[in-house]
Amino acid sequence: MFTAFDNFPALLIWLPLIGGLLSFLLKKEGMARIVSMASSLLSVVVVVASMIYAKPEHALLNQVSYAWLHGLGSSFSFLLDELTKTLCLLTAIVFPIVLLVVKKNQYKNEHIFFGLLMLTQCGLMGVFMAADALVFYFFWELALIPVYFLSSIWGGEKRIKATFKFFIYTFIGSLLLLIGILYMYLQTEDQSFSIVSFYRLQLTAQQQFGLFFLFFSAFAIKMPIVPFHTWQPEAYEQAPTPVTMVLSGVMVKMGVFGVIRWLLPLFPLAVKEFNGPIILLISVGMIYASLIAIKQDSLKRLIAYSSIAHIGLMAAGVFALKDIAMQGVILQMFNHGINIVALWVVADMIEKQTGVCKISELGGIATKAPVLSVFFVVAAMANIALPLTNAFVGEFMIFNGLFNYNPWIAALAGISIILSAIYTLNMIKNVLYGSTNSVTEGFTDASTTQIIVFSILVSFILTIGIYPEPLLNVIKTASSIPLFPFK
Amino acid sequence: MNKFVFLIPVLPLVGFLINGLGRNILSRALVSIVGCGTLIASFLLSLLVFREAAAPGFVPMVINYFDFIHAGGLDIKFSFQVDQLSSLFLLIITGIGSLIHIYSSSYMHEETVPHFARYFAYLNLFIFSMLMLILGANFVIMFIGWEGVGLCSYLLIGYWFKNNDYNNAAKKAFVMNRIGDLGFLLAIFWMLSQFGTVSYLELFPQVSSASLYTITCITLLLFVGAMGKSAQIPLYTWLPDAMAGPTPVSALIHAATMVTAGIYMIARSNVMYSMAPHTQDVITIIGMATALLAATIALKQNDIKKVLAYSTVSQLGLMFVALGVGAYTAGVFHVMTHAFFKALLFLGAGSVIHAMHHEQDLTKMGGLRKYLPITHITFLIGTLAISGIPPFAGFFSKDEILTAALQKNPIYYVLGVVTSLMTAFYMFRLYFLTFSGTFRGTDHQAKHLHESPVAMTMPLIVLALLSIVGGFVGVPSVFAENAHLLSNFLNPVLGSVHSTSHEVVHLSHSTELMLMGVLVFLILIMIFFASRKFASYQPSEKEESTISKFLANKWYVDELYEALIIKPIGHVASFFNKVVDTKVIDGFVNGVGKSVQYSARQLRLLQSGQVGSYVLIMVISLILLFIFQFFWKH
Amino acid sequence: MPINYYIFLSIALFTIGIVGVLTRRNAIIIFMCIELMLNAVNVLLVAFSKMHHVAAYALDASTTVGTEAQLFVFFIMVVAAAEVTVGLAIIVMLYRNIHSVDINFLNRLKH
């Protein structure tokens, strides 16, 4: 049994799973928090260790495969490569931060809450590392279901409607994905779900077109790109903040990841056929989402629409099929995870203290809470990709790739840069500046825990913004496999 | 020497960190010492760098620090370039920056210590960004500084963040800059895809191989960036609003340094611009139009800082004219002299505002000569300098621009002269309204009128001296052969520019002297008019003419933008938000759900609950099945 | 006797059963009709069993062909007996609850 744990992918799957199951059992006050914190911190250690020790050539450290549904040709197998490492690092980092943020929050049945949270982490890790289509699907759903329960039990007022919509929406996508996977499975020569057999498959253009849309709809809904996005603002608004952080920080990257890992290598003919219209759709969608963000009065909905625009840029970057853009996207997935969690931290603090998240009702917080304000400004500047913040590097690379694909598309997508400045600065102005009112009169500044969270996030934002080289080195090779069919 | 070049920007950054993080711990004196000290130190370093760059046999050097973005065929290094142009700008920025820091330590004394520290932190961060912009050895590093100064400008305009008008002004500045930045960014991508590099030393030698179309597009896009940063039509309206910031900030950022970044950028890429005649024409026309438009608006403004702001826009326009006609040295020369006298004027205005208890309305001033002697003298020097009276600094630089414009096209020259005359008129209007006549403010203000402390007058005196002698580094060849020190100094960077100006009309020295004399005479007439009208000004109830109302309202450009751009975008956004997103897209999504629910409700009626009916349906179905199977077989 | 007679008898019984189930509202009558249908099948099974067995016996005296059907009949009778027990119990409970054995009152699942 011990041999099952001696490599990195196995550890990353089992750690959160065991942490989660243990949390379910520990009903004593506070124990579940400690267990989940411990397991998520261990995950960080494991991921970092994997980035240092597990070089691509160490196959034994990077792959694991358990016999599972042998008769079906599916095995429980995982693979840790450069692309996966970046996303696992993000997943591993986000969870301790989320747990730190909710340190003071009280939840009913908190052992279930934290257990579900850890199961989500397990699902996310599984999605990113799966080297078998059925396992990928399995974890795709495993990541979704705990989130459904978390939101519908601990969410806001309209949680039932919002989470139901979220669930049905993503579930439709998942089922289409499943149909696609089963079709592919039936086409394989050795009747296997393994990613290698899928990659080997030679499909006709006609087959690829159909399958492309089955897979793409699942990923497009998850990201989400306009017009599949309406579940997102509601879900973000109604889900409890830690869940929103996980959703927006990590989960939406599942869609982008799916495109990179599955869509591009499997259906190159279809991608070449459709990438033009898709990029155009996404670019228009980015402007659309940014314009809507300008009109939002709810802090949470504003961040949600801003996220749609930013994720859109990543999706466009993927479909540009350029090395530089692909690496930028992988970097930007990590950056966006950090930045949006930072914004949620602020939104959560403000909502917790004042009880409102309507931008028009806030104001003057800078007078009362300078530390929070500085952090908010840094996070907002990272959100609009100011140079020397992490997002600049990622978006610079993406835009560069987009420009090489088509200058006009780059210019069109670039308009969202201007619009993002408008809504972000509006948000800052109305929340932080101006004079205090009855809502913000008694606002107090960040506590020590929160300052720790801030420092962690800001150090990520600035370090990657100033010296992105270490992370870029990790993802340097990650673009070659997905783009191989297009070379 | 290159070992400590990195210290020049890093020192202000350290100052920023100390003041920013220690804002609650440090005392006021310590904040000033850190803020000014770090900057003075980097000024001294800049002097060393400048001395080296001025030495004969100097070759431009590039210092690489680390790989900034090295991925997928992209190799952008974090590196600084020291050459004549950057060392000159280093001196201007750190020198004037130091003076303004010292001035600020006194000007901002009313602020509480944490805010005082915040102010200095922002100011140091600005200097850091500006130095990045200047020192960067490629366009990406320049862009880092470019957006960095935009951020600092935003933070400093909105420094008094309780006032929402100021916040709006700050936002406007940032957004308008962002529009320009998009152009800059696209130009960078274009250069990357065309030449594979954005490093100056690697890029410029390759430029000649590119097509005219490419070069024209790249240079135009870069110029869009410059329009935003240097406040040219159509992106100039943020600069007058930016006067919401503290006055030293206006002096430093919105007059002397940041707004000249566009000129620096174009001068830096002069190799490309010289190859793109169409772009040069665009720059000249836009620069000229901006210069004229801003000058007319400045004639009718009553806010002391607004006059200076429009005057800045106008002078920036003249600098772009210089760049457009290929006289890069003249442009840079005017940047330098303008930095001296405009900083001086703004700081003088700050001193007046300080004495007047934050009163900025010219109609409520007057007769301040008695109370503010030093401010008065220095302000007068600044006014003479900007008006172009010899031998003050502005005369030489402006004359060089006008001469270059004349060589290109007499129309530019005439328009330039008109701008200069208006400049002289509105600047002396400002001067007379402020300093001569009788005091028109309240008694309370009159009682407290006082000259500013040494920390504020000392920078004024230094800048006044610079405004007097600053022009002599560029003495035209009319007076003395080969006496244009600046031109000789900048020649290695800007020298190769005379290639395209093949239609140059060479002026004889006598014509040039005559034109100069006529211009100075006309300017003196303008000053005379101004003194007649405003030296003993008393507010009157006279109805304003249509034209002056039009000018006082800034040609209604803000209203035009509001109606043509901002409102429509707002309507479109509202339409998307209220109709498309909620009704169409979400309506469709919810509609699918609702139709499922509806059909379920209808189908439910089939379930009567009567056992008999179920059995009946079962039997009928069975019979149908049998019949079906029976006929299917045959 | 020709096999047809058995088939006609069985069909007649089965049809009576179906019609009874469909038309009557009294649960006990319906119940009886179901029994009738079961027994119609039984009759048919026994008849066919006999027919096949006689045919096979003529060729080979030791054959057991056709006897399986009679086993089924016993199964059906056992199941019917079990059904009667449960069914009658339900009907008794029904009567206790609503004081009627009319199936038209059994529509509470609708609501």
Side-chain angles (χ1 to χ4, degrees):
Chain A
M1 189 61 201
F2 185 73
T3 52
F5 292 95
D6 65 350
N7 68 31
F8 293 114
L11 277 174
L12 288 178
I13 291 293
W14 294 119
L15 266 175
L17 187 66
I18 293 170
L21 295 178
L22 216 56
S23 303
F24 275 126
L25 300 175
L26 294 168
K27 289 190 184 162
K28 215 177 128 217
E29 184 85 7
M31 282 302 282
R33 281 169 200 262
I34 295 169
V35 167
S36 44
M37 192 65 178
S39 83
S40 57
L41 282 177
L42 273 175
S43 302
V44 178
V45 174
V46 172
V47 177
V48 172
S50 83
M51 295 183 107
I52 297 169
Y53 294 113
K55 297 281 176 272
E57 60 271 16
H58 298 151
L60 281 177
L61 290 176
N62 288 324
Q63 288 174 13
V64 65
S65 184
Y66 306 110
W68 192 35
L69 302 170
H70 189 69
L72 275 177
S74 171
S75 64
F76 214 60
S77 54
F78 301 101
L79 170 71
L80 199 59
D81 65 3
E82 307 329 286
L83 167 64
T84 309
K85 275 176 191 165
T86 320
L87 287 163
C88 284
L89 181 66
L90 172 67
T91 316
I93 288 170
V94 164
F95 276 83
I97 292 173
V98 167
L99 293 172
L100 265 184
V101 170
V102 300
K103 200 177 150 214
K104 290 270 160 57
N105 294 19
Q106 292 300 322
Y107 294 104
K108 232 196 278 173
N109 297 326
E110 64 171 27
H111 58 290
I112 299 177
F113 185 86
F114 288 106
L116 287 172
L117 218 50
M118 286 296 108
L119 281 190
T120 315
Q121 189 183 16
C122 174
L124 289 165
M125 293 279 191
V127 166
F128 294 141
M129 294 193 298
D132 181 290
L134 200 63
V135 176
F136 175 72
Y137 178 75
F138 175 80
F139 279 100
W140 183 273
E141 294 296 346
L142 183 66
L144 169 67
I145 290 165
V147 168
Y148 170 73
F149 283 112
L150 284 167
S151 311
S152 60
I153 299 174
W154 289 275
E157 273 170 44
K158 293 183 214 145
R159 59 182 186 270
I160 300 298
K161 185 176 171 248
T163 47
F164 193 65
K165 191 168 172 180
F166 160 62
F167 189 84
I168 297 289
Y169 223 135
T170 45
F171 202 67
I172 289 172
S174 310
L175 289 179
L176 295 176
L177 176 68
L178 182 62
I179 295 169
I181 289 176
L182 289 177
Y183 183 84
M184 299 267 307
Y185 164 71
L186 294 175
Q187 301 295 312
T188 51
E189 284 165 16
D190 49 350
Q191 298 292 295
S192 153
F193 281 104
S194 106
I195 192 165
V196 182
S197 314
F198 274 36
Y199 277 6
R200 267 199 219 119
L201 211 51
Q202 299 288 332
L203 295 168
T204 65
Q206 218 58 42
Q207 285 173 314
Q208 290 199 10
F209 290 173
L211 287 168
F212 176 86
F213 282 104
L214 290 176
F215 277 68
F216 181 66
S217 48
F219 301 145
I221 289 171
K222 202 72 170 193
M223 284 191 251
I225 57 177
V226 178
F228 305 108
H229 65 283
T230 51
W231 62 268
Q232 200 188 36
E234 283 180 38
Y236 283 10
E237 203 176 22
Q238 296 302 325
T241 317
V243 179
T244 311
M245 287 178 189
V246 172
L247 254 179
S248 58
V250 191
M251 229 171 176
V252 293
K253 274 68 174 191
M254 280 163 58
V256 185
F257 169 82
V259 173
I260 298 177
R261 169 59 50 91
W262 298 91
L263 201 69
L264 298 190
L266 292 184
F267 318 119
L269 294 175
V271 170
K272 265 185 233 165
E273 187 73 22
F274 297 121
N275 73 337
I278 287 180
I279 290 184
L280 190 65
L281 172 79
I282 293 170
S283 308
V284 173
M286 281 165 68
I287 295 173
Y288 173 82
S290 307
L291 280 174
I292 291 184
I294 295 175
K295 286 284 161 190
Q296 295 307 312
D297 191 29
S298 155
L299 202 53
K300 291 183 165 185
R301 291 183 77 93
L302 192 150
I303 299 174
Y305 277 105
S306 147
S307 167
I308 292 171
H310 284 103
I311 294 277
L313 180 60
M314 291 177 221
V318 171
F319 281 105
L321 306 175
K322 302 275 184 237
D323 267 318
I324 182 78
M326 184 66 74
Q327 292 176 24
V329 169
I330 298 168
L331 179 67
Q332 188 58 12
M333 282 201 271
F334 183 83
N335 294 339
H336 179 260
I338 299 290
N339 296 349
I340 198 156
V341 165
L343 287 176
W344 287 122
V345 171
V346 178
D348 179 54
M349 270 188 72
I350 291 173
E351 198 195 8
K352 225 183 282 170
Q353 283 209 29
T354 60
V356 292
C357 62
K358 278 220 153 82
I359 293 171
S360 54
E361 290 175 19
L362 295 164
I365 287 179
T367 333
K368 295 283 173 186
V371 177
L372 172 77
S373 308
V374 169
F375 175 69
F376 192 18
V377 171
V378 172
M381 290 304 147
N383 193 42
I384 58 178
L386 205 79
L388 298 189
T389 64
N390 54 3
F392 173 71
V393 181
E395 294 201 352
F396 183 85
M397 289 165 74
I398 298 174
F399 269 112
N400 193 8
L402 268 184
F403 189 90
N404 289 341
Y405 172 75
N406 184 335
W408 294 106
I409 290 284
L412 184 68
I415 294 175
S416 71
I417 293 186
I418 300 169
L419 296 175
S420 80
I422 297 178
Y423 62 71
T424 308
L425 295 187
N426 262 339
M427 172 174 81
I428 290 186
K429 189 193 95 184
N430 291 331
V431 173
L432 295 184
Y433 299 153
S435 37
T436 51
N437 55 27
S438 57
V439 176
T440 53
E441 198 49 57
F443 205 88
T444 54
D445 210 346
S447 66
T448 319
T449 319
Q450 282 157 342
I451 291 176
I452 293 172
V453 173
F454 291 170
S455 325
I456 296 171
L457 290 168
V458 167
S459 62
F460 272 111
I461 290 173
L462 294 182
T463 315
I464 299 174
I466 295 168
Y467 191 54
E469 208 48 26
L471 206 52
L472 281 176
N473 272 333
V474 172
I475 60 182
K476 198 158 277 180
T477 52
S479 66
S480 57
I481 293 174
L483 290 179
F484 180 70
F486 306 97
K487 291 272 158 65
Chain B
M1 179 201 78
N2 54 18
K3 285 203 186 88
F4 58 75
V5 167
F6 79 96
L7 278 176
I8 297 176
V10 164
L11 280 172
L13 183 68
V14 171
F16 158 72
L17 290 175
I18 294 174
N19 277 339
L21 297 174
R23 59 203 288 273
N24 289 321
I25 312 164
L26 299 175
S27 71
R28 189 183 296 267
L30 218 51
V31 169
S32 313
I33 290 169
V34 170
C36 305
T38 50
L39 195 49
I40 291 169
S42 62
F43 172 64
L44 295 176
L45 288 173
S46 304
L47 270 178
L48 287 177
V49 170
F50 182 79
R51 207 187 57 180
E52 188 138 326
F58 172 80
V59 269
M61 54 181 187
V62 171
I63 310 153
N64 286 327
Y65 293 103
F66 52 83
D67 283 348
F68 180 50
I69 300 176
H70 183 93
L74 206 63
D75 184 9
I76 294 160
K77 292 203 159 47
F78 204 100
S79 49
F80 289 158
Q81 176 167 344
V82 178
D83 60 6
Q84 286 82 357
L85 187 63
S86 57
S87 61
L88 178 71
F89 270 84
L90 278 186
L91 268 194
I92 298 175
I93 288 153
T94 51
I96 293 184
S98 303
L99 290 174
I100 290 175
H101 270 64
I102 294 167
Y103 181 93
S104 298
S105 63
S106 170
Y107 186 84
M108 300 298 283
H109 69 95
E110 287 171 15
E111 300 289 313
T112 58
V113 180
H115 288 295
F116 190 69
R118 181 166 66 92
Y119 173 83
F120 271 97
Y122 289 166
L123 223 49
N124 275 5
L125 184 64
F126 167 77
I127 297 282
F128 164 74
S129 308
M130 195 68 208
L131 293 174
M132 292 278 289
L133 196 165
I134 298 303
L135 279 172
N138 58 54
F139 281 102
V140 173
I141 305 299
M142 188 199 262
F143 187 74
I144 292 175
W146 190 269
E147 288 241 297
V149 290
L151 169 71
C152 298
S153 157
Y154 164 77
L155 291 171
L156 282 164
I157 295 169
Y159 170 74
W160 285 301
F161 56 73
K162 284 188 184 170
N163 185 327
N164 259 333
D165 289 343
Y166 294 0
N167 294 327
N168 285 331
K171 199 182 83 187
K172 186 174 176 185
F174 195 92
V175 170
M176 285 206 150
N177 271 304
R178 266 256 148 159
I179 297 172
D181 292 352
L182 179 60
F184 194 150
L185 209 51
L186 290 173
I188 290 179
F189 295 141
W190 205 315
M191 286 188 269
L192 277 173
S193 73
Q194 190 73 28
F195 308 111
T197 178
V198 282
S199 151
Y200 307 142
L201 287 188
E202 290 166 25
L203 177 71
F204 294 144
Q206 293 185 46
V207 168
S208 49
S209 65
S211 69
L212 180 65
Y213 171 75
T214 315
I215 290 292
T216 308
C217 289
I218 291 174
T219 46
L220 275 178
L221 283 170
L222 280 176
F223 179 55
V224 171
M227 273 179 198
K229 192 95 340 183
S230 298
Q232 295 300 295
I233 291 175
L235 299 177
Y236 73 95
T237 55
W238 66 270
L239 185 56
D241 288 12
M243 296 302 125
T247 310
V249 169
S250 310
L252 177 62
I253 299 184
H254 306 119
T257 55
M258 183 187 90
V259 288
T260 60
I263 288 115
Y264 170 77
M265 186 246 276
I266 291 178
R268 172 58 84 192
S269 24
N270 63 73
V271 181
M272 285 197 278
Y273 279 90
S274 298
M275 286 184 57
H278 304 300
T279 314
Q280 286 190 312
D281 290 342
V282 172
I283 294 177
T284 317
I285 291 165
I286 288 191
M288 202 75 246
T290 311
L292 275 171
L293 178 85
T296 55
I297 296 174
L299 293 173
K300 277 290 166 189
Q301 297 305 307
N302 280 335
D303 182 320
I304 184 167
K305 285 180 74 181
K306 282 272 159 71
V307 177
L308 290 175
Y310 279 104
S311 148
T312 306
V313 176
S314 172
Q315 299 299 313
L316 288 169
L318 276 185
M319 293 176 210
F320 276 103
V321 171
L323 298 176
V325 300
Y328 301 102
T329 313
V332 173
F333 186 22
H334 199 54
V335 167
M336 189 183 88
T337 55
H338 178 257
F340 296 151
F341 57 68
K342 194 47 77 60
L344 168 61
L345 289 169
F346 263 113
L347 294 185
S351 179
V352 170
I353 293 167
H354 190 251
M356 296 280 298
H357 288 270
H358 301 286
E359 177 61 69
Q360 299 189 9
D361 192 343
L362 287 173
T363 56
K364 300 196 175 116
M365 295 177 182
L368 296 182
R369 193 177 348 194
K370 276 183 291 190
Y371 309 101
L372 306 168
I374 300 174
T375 308
H376 165 243
I377 291 293
T378 53
F379 198 92
L380 180 60
I381 292 170
T383 312
L384 287 168
I386 195 174
S387 304
I389 302 290
F392 297 99
F395 167 73
F396 293 100
S397 54
K398 207 182 269 187
D399 180 67
E400 199 174 327
I401 292 174
L402 291 176
T403 313
L406 179 61
Q407 283 170 344
K408 186 92 177 179
N409 189 336
I411 297 172
Y412 295 151
Y413 176 76
V414 173
L415 293 175
V417 167
V418 172
T419 311
S420 297
L421 297 182
M422 282 197 279
T423 307
F425 183 80
Y426 66 69
M427 280 315 297
F428 271 92
R429 168 178 176 264
L430 174 68
Y431 165 77
F432 286 124
L433 283 178
T434 313
F435 290 102
S436 44
T438 50
F439 186 68
R440 299 180 293 271
T442 60
D443 292 343
H444 176 74
Q445 284 169 334
K447 245 180 263 167
H448 291 89
L449 283 176
H450 57 87
E451 181 58 278
S452 304
V454 180
M456 281 167 73
T457 50
M458 191 277 281
L460 289 179
I461 294 166
V462 174
L463 285 169
L465 289 175
L466 285 172
S467 301
I468 296 170
V469 302
F472 289 104
V473 300
V475 179
S477 52
V478 185
F479 298 118
E481 231 13 271
N482 211 12
H484 202 307
L485 298 174
L486 191 72
S487 170
N488 296 342
F489 175 65
L490 290 175
N491 202 38
V493 190
L494 306 177
S496 58
V497 299
H498 301 297
S499 50
T500 55
S501 40
H502 36 73
E503 31 188 341
V504 170
V505 192
H506 274 291
L507 301 171
S508 67
H509 283 179
S510 54
T511 344
E512 213 177 325
L513 269 178
M514 190 192 74
L515 286 172
M516 242 181 237
V518 171
L519 180 61
V520 171
F521 177 69
L522 287 173
I523 287 173
L524 287 173
I525 291 176
M526 286 326 263
I527 296 172
F528 174 70
F529 275 136
S531 76
R532 281 282 300 277
K533 205 164 171 207
F534 298 109
S536 50
Y537 170 83
Q538 283 302 330
S540 65
E541 297 296 311
K542 206 172 63 183
E543 184 69 21
E544 296 226 26
S545 69
T546 323
I547 290 183
S548 56
K549 232 189 229 164
F550 184 68
L551 294 180
N553 282 308
K554 306 147 194 170
W555 290 47
Y556 296 100
V557 172
D558 275 321
E559 288 77 3
L560 197 72
Y561 285 176
E562 178 79 26
L564 285 185
I565 298 167
I566 299 166
K567 279 254 175 69
I569 288 181
H571 287 314
V572 169
S574 286
F575 176 72
F576 281 168
N577 184 30
K578 292 210 181 99
V579 181
V580 180
D581 214 48
T582 43
K583 299 265 161 61
V584 180
I585 298 179
D586 213 24
F588 176 75
V589 173
N590 289 336
V592 171
K594 278 195 188 120
S595 65
V596 169
Q597 279 185 344
Y598 175 78
S599 50
R601 235 191 333 269
Q602 299 304 314
L603 285 171
R604 177 176 161 273
L605 297 178
L606 285 177
Q607 305 292 324
S608 62
Q610 305 285 348
V611 180
S613 63
Y614 293 151
V615 177
L616 185 65
I617 291 170
M618 188 178 88
V619 170
I620 292 170
S621 315
L622 273 174
I623 291 168
L624 285 177
L625 215 63
F626 280 130
I627 293 169
F628 181 70
Q629 206 191 10
F630 182 77
F631 284 110
W632 192 256
K633 280 256 171 75
H634 304 286
Chain C
M1 238 183 334
I3 190 77
N4 286 1
Y5 293 172
Y6 294 101
I7 293 175
F8 289 139
L9 172 64
S10 175
I11 288 175
L13 285 174
F14 196 84
T15 313
I16 292 167
I18 283 182
V19 172
V21 167
L22 291 181
T23 54
R24 303 306 292 259
R25 284 158 51 192
N26 188 319
I28 295 186
I29 306 268
I30 290 172
F31 207 70
M32 284 158 63
C33 288
I34 291 171
E35 291 299 313
L36 207 56
M37 285 193 282
L38 284 173
N39 284 320
V41 176
N42 281 351
V43 167
L44 208 58
L45 278 169
V46 171
F48 278 117
S49 158
K50 182 76 181 159
M51 188 185 85
H52 285 300
H53 189 65
V54 167
Y57 191 75
L59 299 172
D60 174 12
S62 63
T63 186
T64 56
V65 169
T67 50
E68 309 96 318
Q70 302 191 17
L71 283 174
F72 275 112
V73 174
F74 282 107
F75 268 115
I76 291 172
M77 282 160 72
V78 171
V79 169
E83 191 199 325
V84 167
T85 353
V86 178
L88 280 178
I90 290 173
I91 292 171
V92 169
M93 287 307 292
L94 195 69
Y95 185 76
R96 283 195 192 159
N97 273 308
I98 61 173
H99 300 289
S100 160
V101 288
D102 189 335
I103 57 158
N104 280 357
F105 292 115
L106 292 182
N107 59 358
R108 287 200 197 165
L109 274 178
K110 186 182 168 189
H111 304 293

